[in-house]
mmCIF file of all heavy atoms in Angstrom:
data_model
loop_
_atom_site.group_PDB
_atom_site.id
_atom_site.type_symbol
_atom_site.label_atom_id
_atom_site.label_comp_id
_atom_site.label_asym_id
_atom_site.label_seq_id
_atom_site.Cartn_x
_atom_site.Cartn_y
_atom_site.Cartn_z
ATOM 1 N N GLN G 274 2.486 -38.704 -30.983
ATOM 2 C CA GLN G 274 3.436 -38.499 -32.060
ATOM 3 C C GLN G 274 3.027 -39.285 -33.295
ATOM 4 O O GLN G 274 2.770 -40.476 -33.199
ATOM 5 C CB GLN G 274 4.782 -39.009 -31.553
ATOM 6 C CG GLN G 274 5.966 -38.413 -32.224
ATOM 7 C CD GLN G 274 7.224 -38.966 -31.584
ATOM 8 O OE1 GLN G 274 7.275 -40.097 -31.138
ATOM 9 N NE2 GLN G 274 8.252 -38.153 -31.547
ATOM 10 N N GLY G 275 2.971 -38.643 -34.432
ATOM 11 C CA GLY G 275 2.755 -39.373 -35.671
ATOM 12 C C GLY G 275 4.039 -40.123 -35.971
ATOM 13 O O GLY G 275 5.115 -39.571 -35.806
ATOM 14 N N ARG G 276 3.945 -41.384 -36.356
ATOM 15 C CA ARG G 276 5.188 -42.119 -36.494
ATOM 16 C C ARG G 276 5.372 -42.754 -37.857
ATOM 17 O O ARG G 276 4.433 -43.031 -38.569
ATOM 18 C CB ARG G 276 5.288 -43.174 -35.411
ATOM 19 C CG ARG G 276 5.477 -42.504 -34.080
ATOM 20 C CD ARG G 276 6.077 -43.379 -33.058
ATOM 21 N NE ARG G 276 5.163 -44.426 -32.656
ATOM 22 C CZ ARG G 276 5.349 -45.673 -32.926
ATOM 23 N NH1 ARG G 276 6.387 -46.054 -33.627
ATOM 24 N NH2 ARG G 276 4.503 -46.563 -32.511
ATOM 25 N N HIS G 277 6.623 -42.967 -38.176
ATOM 26 C CA HIS G 277 6.973 -43.645 -39.416
ATOM 27 C C HIS G 277 7.736 -44.876 -39.025
ATOM 28 O O HIS G 277 8.828 -44.783 -38.475
ATOM 29 C CB HIS G 277 7.847 -42.752 -40.276
ATOM 30 C CG HIS G 277 7.250 -41.417 -40.468
ATOM 31 N ND1 HIS G 277 6.197 -41.207 -41.320
ATOM 32 C CD2 HIS G 277 7.505 -40.243 -39.873
ATOM 33 C CE1 HIS G 277 5.840 -39.941 -41.250
ATOM 34 N NE2 HIS G 277 6.615 -39.327 -40.382
ATOM 35 N N ILE G 278 7.153 -46.009 -39.273
ATOM 36 C CA ILE G 278 7.823 -47.231 -38.892
ATOM 37 C C ILE G 278 8.654 -47.715 -40.063
ATOM 38 O O ILE G 278 8.177 -47.849 -41.179
ATOM 39 C CB ILE G 278 6.793 -48.308 -38.512
ATOM 40 C CG1 ILE G 278 5.879 -47.777 -37.419
ATOM 41 C CG2 ILE G 278 7.494 -49.579 -38.053
ATOM 42 C CD1 ILE G 278 6.592 -47.304 -36.196
ATOM 43 N N LEU G 279 9.926 -47.959 -39.762
ATOM 44 C CA LEU G 279 10.800 -48.457 -40.815
ATOM 45 C C LEU G 279 10.605 -49.940 -40.986
ATOM 46 O O LEU G 279 10.316 -50.654 -40.041
ATOM 47 C CB LEU G 279 12.247 -48.218 -40.421
ATOM 48 C CG LEU G 279 12.719 -46.793 -40.445
ATOM 49 C CD1 LEU G 279 14.142 -46.746 -39.939
ATOM 50 C CD2 LEU G 279 12.639 -46.253 -41.862
ATOM 51 N N GLU G 280 10.815 -50.386 -42.192
ATOM 52 C CA GLU G 280 10.821 -51.818 -42.417
ATOM 53 C C GLU G 280 12.232 -52.343 -42.207
ATOM 54 O O GLU G 280 13.204 -51.627 -42.402
ATOM 55 C CB GLU G 280 10.380 -52.112 -43.851
ATOM 56 C CG GLU G 280 9.146 -52.962 -43.876
ATOM 57 C CD GLU G 280 8.593 -53.115 -45.263
ATOM 58 O OE1 GLU G 280 9.326 -52.891 -46.238
ATOM 59 O OE2 GLU G 280 7.404 -53.455 -45.359
ATOM 60 N N GLY G 281 12.341 -53.577 -41.836
ATOM 61 C CA GLY G 281 13.639 -54.222 -41.787
ATOM 62 C C GLY G 281 14.529 -53.715 -40.670
ATOM 63 O O GLY G 281 14.108 -52.959 -39.807
ATOM 64 N N GLU G 282 15.766 -54.198 -40.699
ATOM 65 C CA GLU G 282 16.720 -53.826 -39.677
ATOM 66 C C GLU G 282 18.018 -53.369 -40.323
ATOM 67 O O GLU G 282 18.177 -53.442 -41.537
ATOM 68 C CB GLU G 282 16.941 -55.003 -38.725
ATOM 69 C CG GLU G 282 15.660 -55.308 -37.952
ATOM 70 C CD GLU G 282 15.777 -56.500 -37.028
ATOM 71 O OE1 GLU G 282 16.825 -56.640 -36.386
ATOM 72 O OE2 GLU G 282 14.819 -57.276 -36.955
ATOM 73 N N ILE G 283 18.942 -52.905 -39.484
ATOM 74 C CA ILE G 283 20.204 -52.396 -40.000
ATOM 75 C C ILE G 283 20.953 -53.508 -40.735
ATOM 76 O O ILE G 283 21.105 -54.603 -40.202
ATOM 77 C CB ILE G 283 21.054 -51.865 -38.839
ATOM 78 C CG1 ILE G 283 20.255 -50.797 -38.092
ATOM 79 C CG2 ILE G 283 22.376 -51.327 -39.333
ATOM 80 C CD1 ILE G 283 20.947 -50.251 -36.881
ATOM 81 N N PRO G 284 21.419 -53.244 -41.959
ATOM 82 C CA PRO G 284 22.151 -54.295 -42.675
ATOM 83 C C PRO G 284 23.503 -54.592 -42.029
ATOM 84 O O PRO G 284 23.960 -53.862 -41.162
ATOM 85 C CB PRO G 284 22.321 -53.720 -44.082
ATOM 86 C CG PRO G 284 22.007 -52.288 -44.009
ATOM 87 C CD PRO G 284 21.265 -52.026 -42.750
ATOM 88 N N SER G 285 24.109 -55.646 -42.456
ATOM 89 C CA SER G 285 25.388 -56.069 -41.894
ATOM 90 C C SER G 285 26.500 -55.118 -42.313
ATOM 91 O O SER G 285 26.511 -54.596 -43.429
ATOM 92 C CB SER G 285 25.685 -57.477 -42.389
ATOM 93 O OG SER G 285 27.065 -57.627 -42.610
ATOM 94 N N SER G 286 27.457 -54.915 -41.403
ATOM 95 C CA SER G 286 28.572 -54.040 -41.745
ATOM 96 C C SER G 286 29.687 -54.829 -42.415
ATOM 97 O O SER G 286 30.783 -54.337 -42.582
ATOM 98 C CB SER G 286 29.075 -53.328 -40.491
ATOM 99 O OG SER G 286 29.353 -54.264 -39.483
ATOM 100 N N VAL G 287 29.398 -56.077 -42.778
ATOM 101 C CA VAL G 287 30.403 -56.874 -43.490
ATOM 102 C C VAL G 287 30.376 -56.523 -44.978
ATOM 103 O O VAL G 287 31.391 -56.157 -45.558
ATOM 104 C CB VAL G 287 30.178 -58.385 -43.265
ATOM 105 C CG1 VAL G 287 31.097 -59.200 -44.164
ATOM 106 C CG2 VAL G 287 30.429 -58.736 -41.808
ATOM 107 N N THR G 288 29.185 -56.614 -45.590
ATOM 108 C CA THR G 288 29.072 -56.176 -46.982
ATOM 109 C C THR G 288 28.285 -54.878 -46.994
ATOM 110 O O THR G 288 27.078 -54.881 -46.793
ATOM 111 C CB THR G 288 28.298 -57.205 -47.825
ATOM 112 O OG1 THR G 288 27.687 -58.141 -46.955
ATOM 113 C CG2 THR G 288 29.192 -57.888 -48.815
ATOM 114 N N LEU G 289 28.999 -53.792 -47.189
ATOM 115 C CA LEU G 289 28.327 -52.502 -47.173
ATOM 116 C C LEU G 289 27.557 -52.284 -48.467
ATOM 117 O O LEU G 289 28.017 -52.693 -49.538
ATOM 118 C CB LEU G 289 29.363 -51.391 -47.020
ATOM 119 C CG LEU G 289 30.050 -51.312 -45.667
ATOM 120 C CD1 LEU G 289 31.095 -50.207 -45.680
ATOM 121 C CD2 LEU G 289 29.045 -51.067 -44.551
ATOM 122 N N PRO G 290 26.387 -51.654 -48.377
ATOM 123 C CA PRO G 290 25.664 -51.315 -49.600
ATOM 124 C C PRO G 290 26.522 -50.391 -50.471
ATOM 125 O O PRO G 290 27.331 -49.621 -49.954
ATOM 126 C CB PRO G 290 24.422 -50.588 -49.093
ATOM 127 C CG PRO G 290 24.313 -50.926 -47.647
ATOM 128 C CD PRO G 290 25.690 -51.205 -47.167
ATOM 129 N N GLU G 291 26.296 -50.473 -51.746
ATOM 130 C CA GLU G 291 27.121 -49.693 -52.676
ATOM 131 C C GLU G 291 26.824 -48.194 -52.588
ATOM 132 O O GLU G 291 27.725 -47.370 -52.543
ATOM 133 C CB GLU G 291 26.835 -50.199 -54.093
ATOM 134 C CG GLU G 291 27.703 -49.601 -55.171
ATOM 135 C CD GLU G 291 27.157 -49.952 -56.556
ATOM 136 O OE1 GLU G 291 26.508 -51.023 -56.686
ATOM 137 O OE2 GLU G 291 27.353 -49.157 -57.486
ATOM 138 N N GLY G 292 25.558 -47.851 -52.545
ATOM 139 C CA GLY G 292 25.188 -46.437 -52.514
ATOM 140 C C GLY G 292 24.994 -45.946 -51.099
ATOM 141 O O GLY G 292 25.844 -46.147 -50.234
ATOM 142 N N CYS G 293 23.864 -45.297 -50.855
ATOM 143 C CA CYS G 293 23.531 -44.822 -49.512
ATOM 144 C C CYS G 293 23.273 -46.039 -48.633
ATOM 145 O O CYS G 293 22.563 -46.962 -49.018
ATOM 146 C CB CYS G 293 22.288 -43.941 -49.571
ATOM 147 S SG CYS G 293 21.643 -43.519 -47.945
ATOM 148 N N PHE G 294 23.860 -46.046 -47.421
ATOM 149 C CA PHE G 294 23.723 -47.203 -46.524
ATOM 150 C C PHE G 294 22.273 -47.430 -46.105
ATOM 151 O O PHE G 294 21.902 -48.508 -45.680
ATOM 152 C CB PHE G 294 24.580 -47.022 -45.271
ATOM 153 C CG PHE G 294 26.057 -47.095 -45.536
ATOM 154 C CD1 PHE G 294 26.962 -46.933 -44.503
ATOM 155 C CD2 PHE G 294 26.540 -47.338 -46.816
ATOM 156 C CE1 PHE G 294 28.322 -47.006 -44.730
ATOM 157 C CE2 PHE G 294 27.904 -47.412 -47.056
ATOM 158 C CZ PHE G 294 28.798 -47.240 -46.010
ATOM 159 N N PHE G 295 21.489 -46.382 -46.186
ATOM 160 C CA PHE G 295 20.116 -46.461 -45.686
ATOM 161 C C PHE G 295 19.121 -46.786 -46.799
ATOM 162 O O PHE G 295 17.940 -47.036 -46.541
ATOM 163 C CB PHE G 295 19.760 -45.123 -45.015
ATOM 164 C CG PHE G 295 18.438 -45.120 -44.306
ATOM 165 C CD1 PHE G 295 18.171 -46.032 -43.294
ATOM 166 C CD2 PHE G 295 17.459 -44.201 -44.638
ATOM 167 C CE1 PHE G 295 16.950 -46.030 -42.631
ATOM 168 C CE2 PHE G 295 16.230 -44.192 -43.983
ATOM 169 C CZ PHE G 295 15.985 -45.113 -42.972
ATOM 170 N N ALA G 296 19.598 -46.815 -48.035
ATOM 171 C CA ALA G 296 18.688 -46.926 -49.181
ATOM 172 C C ALA G 296 17.708 -48.099 -49.068
ATOM 173 O O ALA G 296 16.529 -47.962 -49.379
ATOM 174 C CB ALA G 296 19.484 -47.021 -50.477
ATOM 175 N N GLY G 297 18.192 -49.256 -48.568
ATOM 176 C CA GLY G 297 17.354 -50.444 -48.497
ATOM 177 C C GLY G 297 16.132 -50.315 -47.601
ATOM 178 O O GLY G 297 15.164 -51.052 -47.749
ATOM 179 N N ARG G 298 16.188 -49.390 -46.632
ATOM 180 C CA ARG G 298 15.056 -49.229 -45.707
ATOM 181 C C ARG G 298 14.358 -47.894 -45.906
ATOM 182 O O ARG G 298 13.382 -47.590 -45.224
ATOM 183 C CB ARG G 298 15.550 -49.273 -44.256
ATOM 184 C CG ARG G 298 16.138 -50.589 -43.832
ATOM 185 C CD ARG G 298 16.733 -50.488 -42.433
ATOM 186 N NE ARG G 298 15.737 -50.528 -41.369
ATOM 187 C CZ ARG G 298 15.990 -50.183 -40.100
ATOM 188 N NH1 ARG G 298 17.186 -49.757 -39.763
ATOM 189 N NH2 ARG G 298 15.055 -50.265 -39.179
ATOM 190 N N CYS G 299 14.868 -47.087 -46.805
ATOM 191 C CA CYS G 299 14.408 -45.699 -46.903
ATOM 192 C C CYS G 299 13.118 -45.582 -47.703
ATOM 193 O O CYS G 299 13.039 -46.056 -48.832
ATOM 194 C CB CYS G 299 15.493 -44.857 -47.553
ATOM 195 S SG CYS G 299 15.045 -43.122 -47.693
ATOM 196 N N PRO G 300 12.105 -44.937 -47.122
ATOM 197 C CA PRO G 300 10.833 -44.809 -47.844
ATOM 198 C C PRO G 300 10.902 -43.846 -49.038
ATOM 199 O O PRO G 300 10.022 -43.897 -49.889
ATOM 200 C CB PRO G 300 9.849 -44.298 -46.793
ATOM 201 C CG PRO G 300 10.607 -44.043 -45.558
ATOM 202 C CD PRO G 300 12.041 -44.384 -45.763
ATOM 203 N N VAL G 301 11.897 -42.974 -49.100
ATOM 204 C CA VAL G 301 11.947 -42.033 -50.224
ATOM 205 C C VAL G 301 13.129 -42.303 -51.160
ATOM 206 O O VAL G 301 13.477 -41.459 -51.989
ATOM 207 C CB VAL G 301 11.971 -40.550 -49.755
ATOM 208 C CG1 VAL G 301 10.678 -40.208 -49.025
ATOM 209 C CG2 VAL G 301 13.183 -40.257 -48.874
ATOM 210 N N ALA G 302 13.738 -43.479 -51.021
ATOM 211 C CA ALA G 302 14.889 -43.781 -51.879
ATOM 212 C C ALA G 302 14.445 -43.931 -53.330
ATOM 213 O O ALA G 302 13.359 -44.435 -53.614
ATOM 214 C CB ALA G 302 15.561 -45.064 -51.410
ATOM 215 N N VAL G 303 15.288 -43.485 -54.231
ATOM 216 C CA VAL G 303 15.067 -43.704 -55.660
ATOM 217 C C VAL G 303 16.218 -44.566 -56.180
ATOM 218 O O VAL G 303 17.171 -44.842 -55.448
ATOM 219 C CB VAL G 303 14.983 -42.367 -56.441
ATOM 220 C CG1 VAL G 303 13.692 -41.632 -56.096
ATOM 221 C CG2 VAL G 303 16.196 -41.491 -56.162
ATOM 222 N N GLU G 304 16.108 -44.949 -57.404
ATOM 223 C CA GLU G 304 17.104 -45.786 -58.071
ATOM 224 C C GLU G 304 18.547 -45.343 -57.772
ATOM 225 O O GLU G 304 19.383 -46.125 -57.331
ATOM 226 C CB GLU G 304 16.762 -45.736 -59.572
ATOM 227 C CG GLU G 304 17.786 -46.297 -60.525
ATOM 228 C CD GLU G 304 18.064 -47.770 -60.306
ATOM 229 O OE1 GLU G 304 17.109 -48.484 -59.960
ATOM 230 O OE2 GLU G 304 19.221 -48.174 -60.463
ATOM 231 N N ALA G 305 18.814 -44.040 -57.955
ATOM 232 C CA ALA G 305 20.174 -43.524 -57.795
ATOM 233 C C ALA G 305 20.743 -43.796 -56.404
ATOM 234 O O ALA G 305 21.948 -43.999 -56.231
ATOM 235 C CB ALA G 305 20.198 -42.027 -58.083
ATOM 236 N N CYS G 306 19.871 -43.809 -55.383
ATOM 237 C CA CYS G 306 20.336 -43.968 -53.997
ATOM 238 C C CYS G 306 21.050 -45.290 -53.778
ATOM 239 O O CYS G 306 21.875 -45.413 -52.882
ATOM 240 C CB CYS G 306 19.162 -43.858 -53.028
ATOM 241 S SG CYS G 306 18.300 -42.281 -53.130
ATOM 242 N N SER G 307 20.714 -46.310 -54.567
ATOM 243 C CA SER G 307 21.324 -47.606 -54.293
ATOM 244 C C SER G 307 22.670 -47.782 -54.978
ATOM 245 O O SER G 307 23.330 -48.789 -54.765
ATOM 246 C CB SER G 307 20.361 -48.732 -54.660
ATOM 247 O OG SER G 307 19.953 -48.582 -55.982
ATOM 248 N N HIS G 308 23.099 -46.832 -55.791
ATOM 249 C CA HIS G 308 24.475 -46.958 -56.300
ATOM 250 C C HIS G 308 25.325 -45.713 -56.153
ATOM 251 O O HIS G 308 26.500 -45.730 -56.436
ATOM 252 C CB HIS G 308 24.491 -47.488 -57.740
ATOM 253 C CG HIS G 308 23.573 -46.776 -58.660
ATOM 254 N ND1 HIS G 308 23.903 -45.593 -59.225
ATOM 255 C CD2 HIS G 308 22.329 -47.098 -59.083
ATOM 256 C CE1 HIS G 308 22.892 -45.189 -59.980
ATOM 257 N NE2 HIS G 308 21.928 -46.079 -59.914
ATOM 258 N N GLN G 309 24.744 -44.625 -55.684
ATOM 259 C CA GLN G 309 25.526 -43.401 -55.532
ATOM 260 C C GLN G 309 25.646 -43.026 -54.057
ATOM 261 O O GLN G 309 24.633 -42.860 -53.377
ATOM 262 C CB GLN G 309 24.817 -42.287 -56.307
ATOM 263 C CG GLN G 309 25.668 -41.073 -56.546
ATOM 264 C CD GLN G 309 24.881 -40.045 -57.358
ATOM 265 O OE1 GLN G 309 24.006 -40.389 -58.159
ATOM 266 N NE2 GLN G 309 25.163 -38.773 -57.141
ATOM 267 N N ARG G 310 26.871 -42.895 -53.546
ATOM 268 C CA ARG G 310 27.061 -42.500 -52.139
ATOM 269 C C ARG G 310 26.801 -41.028 -51.974
ATOM 270 O O ARG G 310 27.455 -40.222 -52.619
ATOM 271 C CB ARG G 310 28.507 -42.748 -51.719
ATOM 272 C CG ARG G 310 28.792 -44.112 -51.290
ATOM 273 C CD ARG G 310 29.031 -44.383 -49.872
ATOM 274 N NE ARG G 310 28.876 -45.827 -49.798
ATOM 275 C CZ ARG G 310 29.887 -46.673 -49.629
ATOM 276 N NH1 ARG G 310 31.091 -46.235 -49.396
ATOM 277 N NH2 ARG G 310 29.678 -47.957 -49.641
ATOM 278 N N PRO G 311 25.867 -40.656 -51.132
ATOM 279 C CA PRO G 311 25.584 -39.233 -50.957
ATOM 280 C C PRO G 311 26.694 -38.534 -50.173
ATOM 281 O O PRO G 311 27.290 -39.127 -49.288
ATOM 282 C CB PRO G 311 24.280 -39.233 -50.159
ATOM 283 C CG PRO G 311 24.252 -40.542 -49.452
ATOM 284 C CD PRO G 311 25.011 -41.518 -50.294
ATOM 285 N N THR G 312 26.966 -37.291 -50.517
ATOM 286 C CA THR G 312 27.924 -36.509 -49.739
ATOM 287 C C THR G 312 27.142 -35.553 -48.841
ATOM 288 O O THR G 312 25.947 -35.361 -49.016
ATOM 289 C CB THR G 312 28.852 -35.692 -50.658
ATOM 290 O OG1 THR G 312 28.031 -34.990 -51.586
ATOM 291 C CG2 THR G 312 29.803 -36.593 -51.412
ATOM 292 N N MET G 313 27.853 -34.945 -47.891
ATOM 293 C CA MET G 313 27.211 -34.029 -46.954
ATOM 294 C C MET G 313 26.728 -32.766 -47.664
ATOM 295 O O MET G 313 27.478 -32.140 -48.398
ATOM 296 C CB MET G 313 28.209 -33.617 -45.872
ATOM 297 C CG MET G 313 28.325 -34.619 -44.770
ATOM 298 S SD MET G 313 26.850 -34.560 -43.716
ATOM 299 C CE MET G 313 27.242 -35.895 -42.612
ATOM 300 N N VAL G 314 25.477 -32.419 -47.429
ATOM 301 C CA VAL G 314 24.903 -31.198 -47.985
ATOM 302 C C VAL G 314 24.665 -30.248 -46.817
ATOM 303 O O VAL G 314 24.126 -30.649 -45.796
ATOM 304 C CB VAL G 314 23.538 -31.504 -48.646
ATOM 305 C CG1 VAL G 314 22.926 -30.252 -49.245
ATOM 306 C CG2 VAL G 314 23.685 -32.601 -49.684
ATOM 307 N N THR G 315 25.084 -29.004 -46.968
ATOM 308 C CA THR G 315 24.821 -28.043 -45.899
ATOM 309 C C THR G 315 23.410 -27.504 -46.043
ATOM 310 O O THR G 315 23.002 -27.064 -47.113
ATOM 311 C CB THR G 315 25.841 -26.892 -45.950
ATOM 312 O OG1 THR G 315 27.128 -27.462 -45.752
ATOM 313 C CG2 THR G 315 25.566 -25.868 -44.866
ATOM 314 N N LEU G 316 22.662 -27.576 -44.947
ATOM 315 C CA LEU G 316 21.276 -27.127 -44.987
ATOM 316 C C LEU G 316 21.155 -25.702 -44.507
ATOM 317 O O LEU G 316 20.471 -24.883 -45.083
ATOM 318 C CB LEU G 316 20.424 -28.031 -44.099
ATOM 319 C CG LEU G 316 20.377 -29.455 -44.618
ATOM 320 C CD1 LEU G 316 20.459 -30.436 -43.493
ATOM 321 C CD2 LEU G 316 19.136 -29.661 -45.438
ATOM 322 N N ASP G 317 21.847 -25.456 -43.396
ATOM 323 C CA ASP G 317 21.662 -24.174 -42.757
ATOM 324 C C ASP G 317 22.781 -24.034 -41.742
ATOM 325 O O ASP G 317 22.788 -24.747 -40.741
ATOM 326 C CB ASP G 317 20.277 -24.201 -42.065
ATOM 327 C CG ASP G 317 19.962 -22.870 -41.398
ATOM 328 O OD1 ASP G 317 20.727 -21.912 -41.614
ATOM 329 O OD2 ASP G 317 18.971 -22.811 -40.657
ATOM 330 N N GLY G 318 23.729 -23.154 -42.000
ATOM 331 C CA GLY G 318 24.843 -22.970 -41.075
ATOM 332 C C GLY G 318 25.588 -24.270 -40.839
ATOM 333 O O GLY G 318 26.142 -24.860 -41.762
ATOM 334 N N ASP G 319 25.531 -24.723 -39.573
ATOM 335 C CA ASP G 319 26.247 -25.919 -39.151
ATOM 336 C C ASP G 319 25.505 -27.214 -39.428
ATOM 337 O O ASP G 319 25.997 -28.283 -39.127
ATOM 338 C CB ASP G 319 26.425 -25.842 -37.628
ATOM 339 C CG ASP G 319 27.814 -25.385 -37.266
ATOM 340 O OD1 ASP G 319 28.615 -25.178 -38.196
ATOM 341 O OD2 ASP G 319 28.081 -25.252 -36.065
ATOM 342 N N HIS G 320 24.300 -27.114 -39.907
ATOM 343 C CA HIS G 320 23.446 -28.289 -40.043
ATOM 344 C C HIS G 320 23.672 -28.944 -41.412
ATOM 345 O O HIS G 320 23.459 -28.323 -42.448
ATOM 346 C CB HIS G 320 21.979 -27.839 -39.880
ATOM 347 C CG HIS G 320 20.997 -28.972 -39.852
ATOM 348 N ND1 HIS G 320 19.644 -28.751 -39.805
ATOM 349 C CD2 HIS G 320 21.149 -30.310 -39.858
ATOM 350 C CE1 HIS G 320 19.012 -29.917 -39.788
ATOM 351 N NE2 HIS G 320 19.909 -30.879 -39.822
ATOM 352 N N GLN G 321 24.108 -30.213 -41.390
ATOM 353 C CA GLN G 321 24.409 -30.915 -42.637
ATOM 354 C C GLN G 321 23.809 -32.312 -42.640
ATOM 355 O O GLN G 321 23.671 -32.919 -41.586
ATOM 356 C CB GLN G 321 25.922 -31.110 -42.784
ATOM 357 C CG GLN G 321 26.746 -29.858 -42.696
ATOM 358 C CD GLN G 321 28.213 -30.214 -42.749
ATOM 359 O OE1 GLN G 321 28.675 -31.114 -42.056
ATOM 360 N NE2 GLN G 321 28.949 -29.507 -43.597
ATOM 361 N N ALA G 322 23.494 -32.810 -43.816
ATOM 362 C CA ALA G 322 23.006 -34.185 -43.927
ATOM 363 C C ALA G 322 23.461 -34.775 -45.251
ATOM 364 O O ALA G 322 23.677 -34.049 -46.225
ATOM 365 C CB ALA G 322 21.491 -34.230 -43.818
ATOM 366 N N ALA G 323 23.604 -36.103 -45.255
ATOM 367 C CA ALA G 323 24.071 -36.783 -46.462
ATOM 368 C C ALA G 323 22.928 -37.563 -47.090
ATOM 369 O O ALA G 323 22.701 -38.724 -46.762
ATOM 370 C CB ALA G 323 25.234 -37.718 -46.117
ATOM 371 N N CYS G 324 22.178 -36.903 -47.975
ATOM 372 C CA CYS G 324 21.057 -37.556 -48.645
ATOM 373 C C CYS G 324 20.906 -36.944 -50.033
ATOM 374 O O CYS G 324 20.846 -35.729 -50.179
ATOM 375 C CB CYS G 324 19.774 -37.371 -47.823
ATOM 376 S SG CYS G 324 18.266 -37.869 -48.698
ATOM 377 N N LEU G 325 20.845 -37.824 -51.022
ATOM 378 C CA LEU G 325 20.739 -37.358 -52.409
ATOM 379 C C LEU G 325 19.461 -36.570 -52.662
ATOM 380 O O LEU G 325 19.401 -35.709 -53.520
ATOM 381 C CB LEU G 325 20.733 -38.564 -53.355
ATOM 382 C CG LEU G 325 22.026 -39.309 -53.586
ATOM 383 C CD1 LEU G 325 21.781 -40.439 -54.575
ATOM 384 C CD2 LEU G 325 23.105 -38.363 -54.098
ATOM 385 N N ARG G 326 18.420 -36.908 -51.910
ATOM 386 C CA ARG G 326 17.117 -36.346 -52.219
ATOM 387 C C ARG G 326 16.893 -34.951 -51.655
ATOM 388 O O ARG G 326 15.872 -34.329 -51.926
ATOM 389 C CB ARG G 326 16.033 -37.311 -51.744
ATOM 390 C CG ARG G 326 16.257 -38.710 -52.312
ATOM 391 C CD ARG G 326 15.061 -39.305 -52.972
ATOM 392 N NE ARG G 326 14.472 -38.497 -54.001
ATOM 393 C CZ ARG G 326 13.222 -38.648 -54.419
ATOM 394 N NH1 ARG G 326 12.445 -39.564 -53.873
ATOM 395 N NH2 ARG G 326 12.740 -37.894 -55.379
#
Side-chain angles (χ1 to χ4, degrees):
Chain G
Q274 204 178 33
R276 291 202 291 112
H277 308 285
I278 305 304
L279 289 176
E280 240 173 20
E282 294 178 40
I283 303 177
S285 144
S286 53
V287 172
T288 12
L289 291 177
E291 186 191 332
C293 171
F294 291 179
F295 187 58
R298 295 174 78 194
C299 181
V301 296
V303 290
E304 169 61 35
C306 300
S307 55
H308 49 81
Q309 195 178 330
R310 276 252 164 108
T312 50
M313 278 287 177
V314 181
T315 299
L316 295 140
D317 182 8
D319 259 358
H320 186 185
Q321 305 176 313
C324 169
L325 286 181
R326 306 231 54 201

